[in-house]
């Protein structure tokens, strides 16, 4: 029997639930009065995994991961779930999938396995549900199609149980339908009217309330929608008063309970106070104080220092008393002399912590020196040409769309980082990575026939890409020099593991890598290494960093490590600063001999084998129990961070908080709101380790990428400024992307030969007024 159903409406009186089915059944099979609707393209929208994939046109079952861009050749959506879940054996794991998506895919696969086991035991498929099944079950009374009606046996399956993983929330289908339509996976002419109206209602409120687009990336956005859907029809949102009073108080209490757990951790392994400041606010600065411990980072408070009578010493002292001086291991600020002097005074007063510079800031200053036109004109010129390329592409919709769709597989040329100069050199890495694709783009027929190839700006950009051989050689040399430092920057700014035990060795390896990439020719690596040495000597050096190196057994006992005496001197200063009790100091010095000579528990074969395998903190937890005083000091040192960078880059809310136009009561309310917002972000980062996906042309990221995408009149074609024709990148860059570009060493000789000083003698003896070391040293003393 063949049944043609264009639209069936039926009502369930008990729940006033209406269901609209639009499908076409052909060749439906009947068994015992029940018809099975064959799977169609719409079944894809019921599986949340599909929103993370793009089907390859013309292939049999192949799809592309929207996170990492990997092509999965067959195996269906189940094999793709293994890719997202990171389960080995079936397919290579995705390295860029967010943790929440990864967890969801694991749950889906676990639920599928349980259902399969139950099906084998009982012979019944327990996973079948009307709303998320590939088959819909109907009953027919008699042999007439006019009597076709839904089976009442499945009535309970019409309501989606959101608490179970093998059911799908309405919002998942909503997202899937948009993405499927965009990539041609479902019929764009058959949208779900109810879902579309819901999306329009959300968008209308969004634009009216002037909510930033980036708010859609909030981890609380989807749970909010699902909670509203679960509340049912008639739910009324919280009022103006509710949001300002009881709900604000409730969330603030919830956050304080979470932070109370963090505070308890401070006394166990110590903590670091972080002073993160905003420059250029009036005559002073806004300083955000954060507290780091291995369990996570918390936002303490924000202080405006623009007033004339501001006393930094008193502000810092108040923060120390709040945290507890006995809990503090270090106080991190940037390299400003006033901040350092204030902390040093308090360091002598309390005698329980040390001042440390922000490692990320010091490394960024090294990169800033590399881009200085006076001492490194080649680097500056290369960056200017690279920015000319990106500004042209990102200010013309047709060119940007052409690049993303046909040449870079949805990826961008601009790579945002935690700072301005790190962004410069990460973006240059991406341009080198896509050299071949950029050459192909400005040589393809579409480009050649376009108006851009005939205009002045387009010709200039094409000439840089196709004809400027020196540009590409210089790009590769700059990447070779800066890539090691960018790796260290990513290490010290990571929130995943404490970096104290690795910083010094990482900097030494970065310098050695630069020497090696410059073929050990002093005339090539000399200028760069001089800058690094100057910044390390004058700014980055800290006894705590040296002590961390000493306590890291994987580094200290490595045959290649040659700085044992330096590390030990730093340790002596650290002991003198952190341990004031003379008896405990004596015990530590006795126990140090066991560690240095690998005797006692430190000399056990398993302890020696685990030196490089275990995290340093875990190693001391396992093998330092026989030397409790030394173990306690080592764990407190190794558990600390190295940088003073928080997760908040939008400082407008803090400027508003400190505005003189606010009343004291209103400022108190806003202060609570800021406290909640910042700590919610930090809690999510602590718990989920999420990566921030960033679109280069988004207003939310314009500050960090301004020099790479901002409008430049000389590079614009006025007939192509239509944002509506630009698709969002499906493989967005991230601030801590794991795939840093490394130039092929086979190109080394060709790159060196193109350098302007490659024929010079293998020496580096600059004049005093041209020596970066002298320049950086003077700069660091101001």
């Amino acid at each position: 029997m063949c049944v043609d159903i264009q639209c069936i409406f039926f009502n369930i009186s008990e729940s006033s639930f209406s269901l609209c089915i639009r499908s076409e059944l052909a060749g439906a099979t009947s068994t015992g009065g029940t018809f099975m609707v064959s799977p169609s393209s719409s079944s894809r929208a019921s599986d949340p995994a599909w929103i993370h994939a793009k089907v390859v046109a013309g292939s049999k079952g192949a799809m592309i991961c929207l996170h990492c861009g990997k092509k999965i050749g067959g195996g269906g959506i189940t094999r793709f779930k293994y890719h997202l879940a990171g389960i080995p054996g079936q397919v290579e794991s995705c390295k860029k999938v967010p943790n929440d998506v990864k967890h969801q895919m694991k749950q889906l696969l676990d639920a599928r396995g349980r259902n399969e086991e139950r099906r084998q035991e009982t012979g019944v498929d327990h996973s079948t549900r009307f709303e998320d099944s590939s088959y819909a079950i109907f009953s027919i009374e008699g042999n007439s199609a006019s009597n076709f009606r839904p089976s009442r046996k499945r009535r309970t399956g019409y309501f989606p149980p959101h608490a179970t993983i093998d059911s799908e929330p309405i919002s998942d289908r909503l997202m899937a339908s948009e993405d499927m339509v965009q990539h041609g996976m479902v019929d764009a002419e058959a949208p779900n009217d109810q879902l579309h109206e819901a999306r329009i209602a959300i968008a209308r409120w969004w634009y009216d309330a002037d909510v930033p687009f980036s708010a859609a990336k909030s981890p609380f956005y989807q749970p909010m929608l699902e909670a509203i859907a679960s509340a049912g029809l008639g739910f009324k949102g919280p009022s103006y008063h509710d949001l300002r009073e009881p709900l604000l108080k409730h969330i603030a209490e919830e956050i304080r309970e979470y932070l109370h757990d963090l505070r308890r951790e401070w006394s166990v392994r110590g903590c670091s106070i972080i002073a993160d400041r905003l420059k250029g606010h009036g005559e002073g600065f806004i300083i955000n104080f954060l507290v780091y411990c291995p369990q996570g980072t918390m936002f303490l408070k924000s202080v405006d220092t623009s007033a004339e009578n501001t006393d930094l010493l008193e502000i810092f002292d108040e923060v120390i008393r709040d945290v507890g001086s006995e809990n503090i291991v270090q106080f991190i600020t940037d390299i400003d002399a006033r901040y350092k002097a204030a902390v040093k005074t308090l360091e002598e007063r309390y005698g329980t912590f040390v001042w440390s510079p922000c490692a990320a800031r010091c490394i960024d200053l090294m990169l800033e020196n590399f881009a200085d036109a006076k001492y490194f004109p080649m680097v500056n010129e290369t960056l200017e040409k690279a920015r000319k390329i990106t500004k042209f592409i990102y200010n013309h919709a047709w060119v940007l769309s052409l690049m993303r769709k046909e040449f870079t597989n949805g990826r961008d040329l601009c790579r945002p980082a935690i700072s301005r100069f790190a962004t410069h050199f990460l973006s240059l890495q991406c341009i080198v990575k896509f050299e071949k694709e950029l050459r192909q783009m400005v040589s393809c027929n579409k480009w050649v026939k376009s108006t851009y190839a005939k205009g002045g700006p387009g010709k200039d950009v094409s000439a840089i890409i196709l004809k400027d051989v020196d540009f590409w050689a210089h790009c590769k040399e700059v990447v070779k020099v800066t890539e090691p430092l960018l790796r260290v920057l990513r290490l010290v700014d990571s929130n995943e593991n404490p970096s104290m035990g690795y910083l010094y060795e990482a900097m030494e390896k970065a310098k050695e890598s630069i020497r090696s990439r410059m073929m050990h020719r002093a005339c090539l690596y000399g200028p760069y290494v001089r800058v690094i040495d100057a910044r390390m000597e004058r700014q980055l050096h800290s006894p705590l960093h040296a002590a961390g190196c000493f306590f890291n057994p994987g580094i200290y006992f490595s045959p290649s490590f040659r700085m044992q005496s330096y590390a030990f001197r730093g340790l002596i200063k650290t002991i003198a600063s952190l341990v004031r009790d003379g008896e405990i100091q004596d015990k530590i010095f006795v126990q140090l001999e066991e560690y240095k000579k690998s005797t006692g528990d430190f000399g056990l074969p398993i302890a020696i084998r685990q030196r490089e395998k275990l995290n340093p903190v875990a190693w001391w937890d396992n093998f330092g129990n026989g030397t409790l005083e030394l173990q306690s000091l080592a764990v407190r040192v190794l558990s600390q961070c190295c940088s003073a960078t928080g997760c908040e880059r939008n400082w407008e809310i803090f400027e508003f908080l400190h505005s003189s136009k606010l009343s004291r009561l209103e400022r108190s309310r806003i202060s609570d709101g800021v406290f909640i917002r910042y700590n919610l972000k930090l809690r999510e980062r602590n718990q989920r380790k999420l990566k921030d996906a960033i679109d280069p042309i988004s207003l939310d990221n314009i500050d960090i990428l301004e020099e790479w995408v901002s409008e430049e009149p000389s590079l614009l074609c006025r007939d192509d400024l239509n944002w509506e024709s630009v698709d969002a990148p499906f493989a967005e860059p991230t601030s801590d992307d794991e795939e840093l570009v490394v130039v092929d060493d086979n190109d080394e000789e060709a790159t060196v030969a193109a350098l302007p000083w490659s024929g010079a003698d293998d020496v580096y003896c600059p004049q005093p007024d041209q020596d970066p070391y002298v320049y950086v040293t003077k700069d660091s003393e101001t």
Side-chain angles (χ1 to χ4, degrees):
M1 177 183 294
C2 178
V3 183
D4 184 12
I5 303 175
Q6 295 298 328
C7 185
I8 300 177
F9 290 86
F10 57 88
N11 295 318
I12 301 176
S13 58
E14 297 95 316
S15 304
S16 301
F17 180 73
S18 297
L19 175 64
C20 173
I21 304 171
R22 291 181 176 88
S23 62
E24 185 172 323
L25 309 181
T29 59
S30 174
T31 304
T34 301
F35 280 88
M36 304 297 292
V37 182
S38 300
S40 64
S41 62
S42 61
S43 67
R44 289 176 174 172
S46 67
D47 194 324
W50 281 108
I51 68 172
H52 306 285
K54 173 185 177 182
V55 172
V56 179
S59 65
K60 218 171 189 180
M63 60 191 77
I64 294 176
C65 175
L66 299 184
H67 297 285
C68 66
K70 179 178 177 58
K71 183 177 179 181
I72 311 296
I77 194 63
T78 300
R79 186 164 180 255
F80 181 66
K81 289 177 185 175
Y82 278 95
H83 169 70
L84 293 178
I87 299 176
Q90 293 282 341
V91 66
E92 181 183 346
S93 301
C94 180
K95 297 180 180 179
K96 299 183 179 180
V97 60
N99 284 354
D100 55 336
V101 176
K102 188 175 187 178
H103 179 66
Q104 182 189 28
M105 294 302 113
K106 286 182 178 179
Q107 286 186 306
L108 289 171
L109 290 171
D110 289 344
R112 185 176 183 272
R114 291 194 300 269
N115 287 326
E116 181 64 23
E117 291 176 0
R118 294 167 64 191
R119 186 189 66 78
Q120 293 177 358
E121 294 175 359
T122 64
V124 179
D125 188 356
H126 296 269
S127 66
T128 304
R129 286 207 176 108
F130 181 85
E131 72 276 2
D132 63 358
S133 173
S134 298
Y135 294 89
I137 304 179
F138 300 90
S139 295
I140 291 184
E141 297 180 0
N143 295 325
S144 172
S146 62
N147 292 326
F148 191 99
R149 62 178 179 78
S151 170
R152 295 184 179 271
K153 297 178 182 178
R154 299 286 299 163
R155 180 168 297 177
T156 56
Y158 299 147
F159 302 94
H162 296 294
T164 59
I165 189 60
D166 52 341
S167 66
E168 179 210 355
I170 293 176
S171 54
D172 282 344
R173 284 178 288 167
L174 183 150
M175 291 188 297
S177 61
E178 176 194 35
D179 201 70
M180 304 292 177
V181 170
Q182 179 180 348
H183 296 293
M185 294 197 266
V186 296
D187 186 1
E189 297 181 358
N192 186 307
D193 293 339
Q194 286 184 323
L195 296 182
H196 180 67
E197 288 301 319
R199 294 163 62 85
I200 289 296
I202 292 172
R204 188 178 293 114
W205 170 82
W206 204 288
Y207 306 142
D208 176 70
D210 195 25
V211 179
F213 296 135
S214 59
K217 296 179 181 180
S218 167
F220 304 103
Y221 177 50
Q222 194 60 43
M224 175 194 70
L225 297 179
E226 292 179 0
I228 293 172
S230 299
L233 294 175
F235 170 75
K236 292 185 178 180
S239 67
Y240 174 81
H241 172 75
D242 292 338
L243 291 170
R244 283 166 53 88
E245 296 288 349
L247 294 180
L248 181 65
K249 182 179 179 181
H250 177 84
I251 300 297
E253 287 301 318
E254 176 187 306
I255 290 296
R256 288 189 176 96
E257 288 180 10
Y258 161 73
L259 297 179
H260 183 67
D261 294 335
L262 288 186
R263 281 180 176 269
R264 286 201 298 266
E265 186 69 17
W266 296 350
S267 61
V268 178
R269 304 204 167 186
C271 63
S272 299
I273 294 180
I274 297 172
D276 190 19
R277 67 171 180 169
L278 167 66
K279 297 182 178 181
H281 173 68
E283 298 298 325
F285 303 89
I286 291 176
I287 307 176
N288 287 340
F289 290 98
L290 302 96
V291 183
Y292 170 90
C293 73
Q295 293 299 107
T297 305
M298 70 167 282
F299 168 70
L300 199 63
K301 64 179 180 178
S302 180
V303 178
D304 184 5
T305 64
S306 60
E308 293 183 3
N309 58 348
T310 298
D311 186 351
L312 280 178
L313 189 67
E314 179 60 30
I315 292 173
F316 289 175
D317 191 29
E318 183 180 339
V319 172
I320 292 170
R321 292 197 302 269
D322 186 6
V323 176
S325 61
E326 69 280 1
N327 300 322
I328 305 170
V329 176
Q330 63 175 341
F331 197 125
I332 304 177
T333 71
D334 60 23
I335 58 175
D336 187 283
R338 296 170 301 162
Y339 286 62
K340 180 178 179 180
V343 176
K344 284 288 186 180
T345 301
L346 295 170
E347 178 184 324
E348 294 179 2
R349 178 185 300 177
Y350 289 99
T352 59
F353 60 86
V354 299
W355 171 82
S356 292
C358 173
R361 174 59 179 159
C362 291
I363 295 172
D364 190 60
L365 287 172
M366 296 174 192
L367 296 173
E368 180 178 351
N369 294 145
F370 289 175
D372 190 282
K374 179 179 180 181
Y375 297 96
F376 298 94
M378 181 273 291
V379 178
N380 179 262
E381 181 183 351
T382 302
L383 288 173
E384 288 296 329
K385 290 182 179 179
R387 282 194 285 265
K388 192 171 185 178
I389 294 173
T390 58
K391 285 183 177 182
F392 178 82
I393 292 176
Y394 284 97
N395 279 283
H396 297 93
W398 184 87
V399 181
L400 179 59
S401 182
L402 176 68
M403 181 194 75
R404 283 177 174 172
K405 286 184 177 180
E406 300 191 20
F407 296 98
T408 63
N409 199 22
R411 285 164 171 75
D412 280 293
L413 301 181
C414 297
R415 287 271 296 279
I418 63 171
S419 62
R420 174 188 173 195
F421 288 95
T423 297
H424 289 352
F425 294 110
L426 274 173
S427 297
L428 195 65
Q429 283 191 19
C430 269
I431 290 177
V432 171
K433 180 178 180 179
F434 291 115
E435 175 188 358
K436 177 182 176 182
E437 288 77 7
L438 288 172
R439 289 179 182 274
Q440 290 174 342
M441 184 182 79
V442 296
S443 302
C444 71
N445 289 333
K446 286 186 178 180
W447 171 269
V448 172
K449 294 178 181 179
S450 70
T451 57
Y452 307 99
K454 301 176 178 63
K459 287 182 177 179
D460 292 342
V461 170
S462 296
I464 294 174
I465 295 173
L466 288 178
K467 301 177 181 179
D468 196 338
V469 179
D470 289 344
F471 168 71
W472 291 109
H474 293 164
C475 280
K476 292 173 184 178
E477 191 232 351
V478 174
V479 168
K480 283 184 177 182
V481 170
T482 58
E483 190 267 345
L485 281 182
L486 291 174
R487 288 189 178 275
V488 180
L489 184 61
R490 188 176 66 180
L491 168 72
V492 300
D493 196 57
S494 171
N495 64 302
E496 295 183 6
N497 291 302
S499 53
M500 183 61 70
Y502 299 94
L503 175 60
Y504 181 79
E505 177 70 1
M507 289 302 303
E508 291 300 313
K509 285 187 175 181
K511 291 194 293 183
E512 181 56 37
S513 179
I514 292 172
R515 293 188 188 99
S516 176
R517 294 178 180 197
M518 295 291 102
M519 303 176 66
H520 294 281
R521 298 177 65 177
C523 60
L524 299 180
Y525 70 72
Y528 303 106
V529 173
R530 291 278 279 180
V531 168
I532 297 174
D533 285 339
R535 292 287 180 192
M536 288 186 66
E537 179 182 329
R538 296 285 180 171
Q539 296 170 342
L540 186 55
H541 170 73
S542 168
L544 204 63
H545 298 159
C549 182
F550 179 90
F551 283 131
N552 187 338
I555 292 175
Y556 185 77
F557 293 105
S558 172
S560 61
F561 185 63
R562 296 287 185 270
M563 301 296 292
Q564 283 87 351
S565 59
Y566 166 83
F568 189 73
R569 287 197 302 272
L571 173 65
I572 299 301
K573 293 181 180 178
T574 299
I575 294 174
S577 300
L578 301 184
V579 183
R580 286 302 178 95
D581 190 309
E583 292 185 5
I584 297 179
Q585 287 183 356
D586 293 340
K587 289 182 180 180
I588 289 175
F589 276 101
V590 172
Q591 295 165 0
L592 276 173
E593 293 304 310
E594 291 188 38
Y595 175 67
K596 292 167 66 177
K597 297 177 181 179
S598 296
T599 59
D601 289 348
F602 300 125
L604 294 173
I606 188 173
I608 295 174
R609 289 197 304 270
Q610 295 296 322
R611 284 172 179 170
E612 296 184 3
K613 296 180 181 180
L614 283 180
N615 177 287
V617 174
W619 189 88
W620 278 95
D621 283 339
N622 283 288
F623 305 111
N625 295 320
T627 55
L628 292 179
E629 291 78 13
L630 182 63
Q631 180 195 49
S632 175
L633 178 63
V635 169
R636 286 173 69 86
V637 170
L638 291 169
S639 298
Q640 306 312 310
C641 61
C642 294
S643 296
T645 53
C647 70
E648 182 61 75
R649 289 293 172 263
N650 180 9
W651 289 83
E652 291 182 4
I653 184 64
F654 298 105
E655 293 179 355
F656 182 64
L657 170 63
H658 298 294
S659 172
S660 60
K661 299 178 181 179
L662 296 175
S663 68
R664 292 183 62 184
L665 289 177
E666 191 63 22
R667 182 178 291 110
S668 175
R669 195 192 320 274
I670 294 175
S671 179
D672 279 351
V674 171
F675 179 82
I676 290 172
R677 179 191 177 199
Y678 207 159
N679 279 303
L680 278 175
K681 281 190 172 186
L682 288 169
R683 185 179 71 175
E684 288 302 302
R685 190 180 74 169
N686 297 336
Q687 294 176 350
R688 306 174 73 176
K689 310 296 184 185
L690 289 180
K691 298 177 180 179
D692 298 326
I694 299 180
D695 186 345
I697 56 176
S698 167
L699 288 176
D700 305 309
N701 311 295
I702 197 63
D703 289 339
I704 201 166
L705 288 169
E706 177 183 4
E707 295 177 71
W708 291 85
V709 300
S710 60
E711 177 180 329
E712 188 169 317
S714 63
L715 294 174
L716 289 181
C717 294
R718 293 292 174 181
D719 60 345
D720 184 23
L721 301 176
N722 182 15
W723 59 267
E724 295 180 3
S725 62
V726 180
D727 294 328
F730 72 77
E732 295 178 330
T734 58
S735 57
D736 53 350
D737 197 308
E738 294 179 355
E739 296 181 2
L740 294 177
V741 177
V742 179
V743 178
D744 188 355
D745 289 338
N746 293 331
D747 296 336
E748 198 170 68
E749 293 185 3
T751 302
V752 171
L755 300 179
W757 57 80
S758 60
D761 296 332
D762 190 18
V763 293
Y764 177 64
C765 299
Q767 297 296 321
D769 62 339
Q770 289 294 317
D771 187 354
Y773 184 88
V774 176
Y775 159 66
V776 172
T777 302
K778 289 181 179 179
D779 175 64
S780 64
E781 292 176 347
T782 59

